[in-house]
Amino acid sequence: LFTFVQVNPSAELNVLKAVLLREGYLRRLHSLASLSSLVLQPGLSDLLDLLRIASVEVVEAIAEWRAGLGAAKTPFMWNGINYLVKMPSDLDFLAKCKPLERWLGFTTERNPFVIPLAMEMRPGTGAKGKKRGGGGGGGGGDQQ
């Protein structure tokens, strides 16, 4: 037997809009980063802020889309990839820009929200969080 899931077109459209906006910021960031990895480019910090906000909006839109489906763990697929699984590594390329990491004071690897503690370093999440905190709090075992 087949199970059909009722899709809310409005919620799905909101996710698509959020993803497209975020992907646009990523493209701009790639362009800035490719200009020079030795010098911080003007506008880079503003672009990182916009990307952070867009990343949060994507997660919120996917959560709303999932709630409408009644399936909390249904992946939102983008170009054949679970978008929430893709997001953490999107900024890994910035780790090559050492002046940026020195200016930020933290790494951008596995850090889609550009915050001081990357995903796996936060208590209660990811692999390191599970070892220390027993996997509680952040739902580190969720497949997204």
Side-chain angles (χ1 to χ4, degrees):
L1 292 174
F2 293 100
T3 304
F4 293 98
V5 178
Q6 181 90 14
V7 177
N8 177 345
S10 175
E12 190 168 359
L13 184 60
N14 287 340
V15 176
L16 290 171
K17 286 179 184 178
V19 166
L20 286 171
L21 181 65
R22 184 176 183 277
E23 288 294 315
Y25 291 145
L26 280 171
R27 276 191 301 281
R28 287 174 50 193
L29 195 54
H30 271 282
S31 296
L32 270 182
S34 67
L35 292 175
S36 173
S37 62
L38 301 176
V39 180
L40 294 179
Q41 297 295 322
L44 183 60
S45 64
D46 291 338
L47 189 52
L48 288 173
D49 285 340
L50 290 170
L51 184 63
R52 178 186 306 112
I53 293 165
S55 296
V56 170
E57 289 174 352
V58 165
V59 172
E60 289 174 344
I62 290 174
E64 184 179 316
W65 171 78
R66 284 176 168 177
L69 295 177
K73 292 191 177 187
T74 302
F76 183 84
M77 303 303 283
W78 174 258
N79 293 330
I81 299 169
N82 178 340
Y83 200 77
L84 292 179
V85 172
K86 171 195 173 297
M87 284 179 62
S89 61
D90 280 347
L91 299 180
D92 287 0
F93 71 96
L94 289 176
K96 295 175 187 169
C97 183
K98 296 305 176 189
L100 174 63
E101 285 200 341
R102 280 193 299 277
W103 180 74
L104 288 171
F106 55 85
T107 185
T108 56
E109 285 187 279
R110 301 223 16 102
N111 194 347
F113 302 107
V114 194
I115 56 176
L117 288 176
M119 291 177 59
E120 285 80 9
M121 303 303 286
R122 300 186 68 78
T125 61
K128 291 185 181 180
K130 283 183 183 178
K131 288 178 188 171
R132 286 190 313 214
D142 185 5
Q143 294 180 349
Q144 301 174 339

